[in-house]
Amino acid sequence: PVCPEILAKVQSLRTKEEIFKSMIEVESDVRTSALEIEKDWAQEIKEIWPVASELGARLVGSGTHPFARTRD
């Protein structure tokens, strides 16, 4: 996993390690729509994408609702 290398090169307060070394978390503030989150994340992705590409990694996005139950 190259995530530790990516994080070492990306300077962001919203981007941090996730549970697994193959994952990066990009935090967001509470928003009322997906469009607002997209705007928040646009700058983060602009920084992460070229670093990941340089290291041969690809990005995939996913997320969960903060109140989701693991059984759902």
Side-chain angles (χ1 to χ4, degrees):
V2 297
C3 290
E5 293 175 67
I6 293 170
L7 291 171
K9 294 181 178 188
V10 173
Q11 303 300 315
S12 170
L13 296 177
R14 292 180 181 257
T15 305
K16 50 186 66 175
E17 290 182 24
E18 188 46 279
I19 293 173
F20 303 105
K21 289 187 183 230
S22 61
M23 299 171 73
I24 293 175
E25 178 178 357
V26 179
E27 295 180 336
S28 64
D29 294 327
V30 175
R31 299 293 184 209
T32 59
S33 72
L35 183 60
E36 290 178 343
I37 293 172
E38 182 180 9
K39 289 178 183 176
D40 285 349
W41 286 353
Q43 184 59 40
E44 304 298 321
I45 299 304
K46 284 180 185 175
E47 289 184 40
I48 296 169
W49 195 279
V51 175
S53 293
E54 177 184 302
L55 295 170
R58 295 184 183 158
L59 301 180
V60 175
S62 69
T64 57
H65 189 277
F67 303 120
R69 293 179 287 172
T70 56
R71 294 184 198 165
D72 291 345

